[in-house]
């Protein structure tokens, strides 16, 4: 797993989400699992509390972050990702380390014709 240059300190402007929350980028990671290049955009939004029955709201925020943020930062030059994973948490966490106090969701999106297409995990 490789961290890219984009970090919360480099791009700390809050992003207004469709739900009304404000998110900020924590980090961008990239890796090449067996089926191709994957980008992971990890976001934090204070006050984020994913609850049952809010799937449409949360998915709307994640899709917005993929389409309006992640896609605009993927270069048109070089290998293109086969997948973008967007995560949203209520606080910063270390990637790959379980934190039972964190509230976090993530979804995967295929990238086709400059569009994010939700892939049910």
């Amino acid at each position: 797993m490789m961290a890219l240059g984009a970090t919360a300190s480099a791009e700390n402007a809050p992003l207004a989400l469709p739900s009304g929350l404000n998110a900020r980028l924590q980090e961008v990671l990239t890796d090449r699992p067996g089926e191709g290049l994957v980008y992971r955009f990890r976001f934090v939004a204070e006050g984020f509390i994913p609850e049952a029955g809010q799937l449409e709201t949360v998915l709307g925020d994640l899709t917005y972050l993929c389409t309006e943020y992640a896609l605009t930062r993927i270069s048109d030059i070089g290998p293109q990702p086969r997948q973008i994973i967007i995560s949203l948490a209520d606080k910063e966490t270390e990637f790959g380390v379980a934190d039972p106090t964190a509230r976090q969701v993530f979804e995967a999106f295929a990238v086709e014709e400059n569009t994010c297409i939700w892939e049910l995990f």
Side-chain angles (χ1 to χ4, degrees):
M1 184 79 49
M2 183 172 93
L4 298 180
T7 63
S9 62
E11 294 191 26
N12 57 8
L15 302 162
L17 303 179
S19 67
L21 290 173
N22 289 310
R24 64 178 171 74
L25 181 66
Q26 177 184 340
E27 66 184 343
V28 179
L29 304 171
T30 182
D31 63 359
R32 288 185 177 271
E35 297 181 28
L37 181 62
V38 174
Y39 281 100
R40 298 175 187 274
F41 287 80
R42 302 182 71 221
F43 294 90
V44 174
E46 288 185 31
F48 176 62
I49 303 172
E51 296 180 12
Q54 291 185 332
L55 176 61
E56 283 187 33
T57 301
V58 172
L59 186 56
D61 284 349
L62 297 175
T63 301
Y64 175 85
L65 288 168
C66 186
T67 303
E68 300 300 322
Y69 188 89
L71 279 182
T72 65
R73 282 151 178 85
I74 295 172
S75 173
D76 290 333
I77 301 171
Q80 294 298 296
R82 105 179 140 74
Q83 189 176 63
I84 294 174
I85 298 174
I86 303 291
S87 69
L88 184 60
D90 66 337
K91 66 179 188 175
E92 288 193 17
T93 60
E94 184 177 344
F95 181 75
V97 176
D99 181 347
T101 67
R103 295 178 175 130
Q104 180 177 4
V105 297
F106 55 91
E107 289 294 343
F109 297 86
V111 179
E112 294 180 17
E113 297 180 17
N114 207 31
T115 301
C116 290
I117 300 172
W118 179 44
E119 295 183 326
L120 185 61
F121 258 148

